[in-house]
Amino acid sequence: MTRTQGIGSGILPPPTTVIALVVAILAVSSSGPLIAFAAAPALAVAFWRNALATAALTPVVLASRRTEVTGIISGPLRREGLFCVLAGIALAAHFSTWMPAVQLGTVATATALVATQPVWQGLIAAAQGRRPSLTGWIGIGLAVAGAAWATGADFGVSSQAVFADVLALAGGMFAAVYTALGERARISLSTTTYTWICYGTCGVILLVVCVGSGTKLSGYDGRTWAAILALVVGAQLLGHSMFSYALQHTSATAVSVLILLEVPGAALIAWWWLGQEIRPGSLPGLALLLAGVAVVIIGAARAGRAAPPP
C-alpha cells in the first residue's frame, strides 16, 4: 500500500495504522483537558512541556543525529538551523497564547479555535503568491464565520471568555507560522533534530518569560506533575509520533482531517473528566468552523494534486 492510499481512497489502511491513528487522536485530545486540570500557571506548564520533551530527545539526537548538529554549528546546515530557531520562537508564541486560553475559557472552544491553523496557513500561502483554490476560499470563509459565531456567543458569557477566544485564535495563527517555518527547516533536517532544536528554543524563551513575569515553576502537587508528564508523553511525543507513522500508510489529507477529531475528543474528555459543558450557543459556530477547516484541507490537497510536478 502506498502513502496515498488508505482512508479517503476507499481502501482501509492496515490495522496497525488504524490503531496508531486512534492512539494519536486520543493523545492530542487529552492536551486541552490536562492543561485545564493542571494546578499550575499555563506558561509554566508550557515551559515544562517543552523542557522535558527536549530532555527526552537529547540522548537520541546525540546518539544518532550528531552529524546534523555539527552541520548546523559548522555551517552547511546553518540556514536550516536558523529556521529551527525561528520555528521555536513561533512555537513559544503559540503555547503562550493557546494554553492560557484553555485555562481562561473552555477546552472545547479553545481547541476548536486553535484548529483554525490550516486557515491561517492558506492565507500565508496567498500572501506568498500561492493563492488557495476556490474550494479553499470557501473553506476559509466558513471557518471565519464559524469562529465569529462562536466568539460572538461568548460575549454574553463574560469578557474573560471573549479574551480566551482571542488568545486561542492567536494561538492558531502562531501555529501556522510555526508550521511554515518548520517546512523550510525540514528540507534537509530529520524530524528528530528539528523538533529537538525547536522544543529547546521554545523552552528557553518560555523560561525567560516565566522568570521575568515571576511565574511559579515549582512547588506543585503530585497531580499537577502527573498532568505535565502526561502532556509530554501523550500530546508532545506519542501523539505526533503516531501521526507521523500513519502518514507512511495513508494520505496526509486524511490525517489532517482526522486531526480535527481532537476538537470533539477534547470536549468529551473535558465534559466527562472536568465537568465542562459545551455552551449551546457556540455549538453551531464550532461545527461551521470545523467544516470550514476540513474544506480548506481538502481544497489544498486538490490544488496540490493539480499543480505541475517540479
Side-chain angles (χ1 to χ4, degrees):
M1 182 180 292
T2 63
R3 271 183 74 172
T4 57
Q5 290 178 320
I7 299 171
S9 64
I11 303 175
L12 286 176
T16 52
T17 304
V18 175
I19 294 172
L21 285 169
V22 172
V23 171
I25 292 168
L26 289 174
V28 297
S29 296
S30 68
S31 179
L34 285 169
I35 295 168
F37 172 78
L43 289 176
V45 176
F47 161 71
W48 284 115
R49 174 175 178 170
N50 285 273
L52 293 175
T54 304
L57 290 171
T58 297
V60 180
V61 172
L62 295 181
S64 61
R65 303 296 179 184
R66 192 173 299 177
T67 302
E68 286 184 339
V69 176
T70 303
I72 291 172
I73 297 173
S74 61
L77 296 174
R78 188 173 297 172
R79 180 180 176 83
E80 286 79 3
L82 174 62
F83 279 114
C84 287
V85 173
L86 292 175
I89 295 172
L91 184 62
H94 162 70
F95 281 131
S96 297
T97 48
W98 178 64
M99 293 180 72
V102 174
Q103 292 188 340
L104 291 172
T106 64
V107 170
T109 304
T111 306
L113 291 174
V114 82
T116 55
Q117 173 188 343
V119 171
W120 308 117
Q121 283 182 257
L123 294 176
I124 290 173
Q128 294 173 338
R130 296 178 285 125
R131 298 192 178 279
S133 63
L134 176 60
T135 304
W137 282 118
I138 292 173
I140 289 172
L142 290 173
V144 170
W149 187 325
T151 303
D154 282 343
F155 270 104
V157 178
S158 68
S159 58
Q160 177 176 299
V162 175
F163 181 57
D165 292 349
V166 173
L167 285 177
L169 280 172
M173 294 178 189
F174 287 124
V177 175
Y178 158 67
T179 303
L181 292 169
E183 288 176 350
R184 303 291 298 272
R186 287 293 313 283
I187 293 175
S188 304
L189 293 180
S190 65
T191 300
T192 305
T193 302
Y194 163 68
T195 53
W196 179 67
I197 297 174
C198 186
Y199 292 168
T201 302
C202 179
V204 169
I205 293 173
L206 290 171
L207 177 61
V208 172
V209 172
C210 287
V211 172
S213 61
T215 302
K216 184 181 177 183
L217 291 173
S218 60
Y220 312 136
D221 58 25
R223 296 193 308 170
T224 296
W225 283 116
I228 293 172
L229 289 175
L231 273 171
V232 174
V233 176
Q236 195 84 355
L237 297 176
L238 180 61
H240 294 287
S241 298
M242 290 295 99
F243 279 129
S244 297
Y245 170 79
L247 282 171
Q248 298 175 355
H249 304 281
T250 191
S251 70
T253 305
V255 171
S256 298
V257 174
L258 286 173
I259 288 175
L260 295 179
L261 292 176
E262 174 189 357
V263 179
L268 287 173
I269 294 173
W271 168 74
W272 170 73
W273 186 27
L274 305 176
Q276 284 192 5
E277 296 184 0
I278 302 176
R279 290 188 283 270
S282 66
L283 278 176
L286 297 181
L288 187 62
L289 186 155
L290 293 179
V293 173
V295 170
V296 169
I297 294 170
I298 294 170
R302 289 178 176 174
R305 286 196 296 268

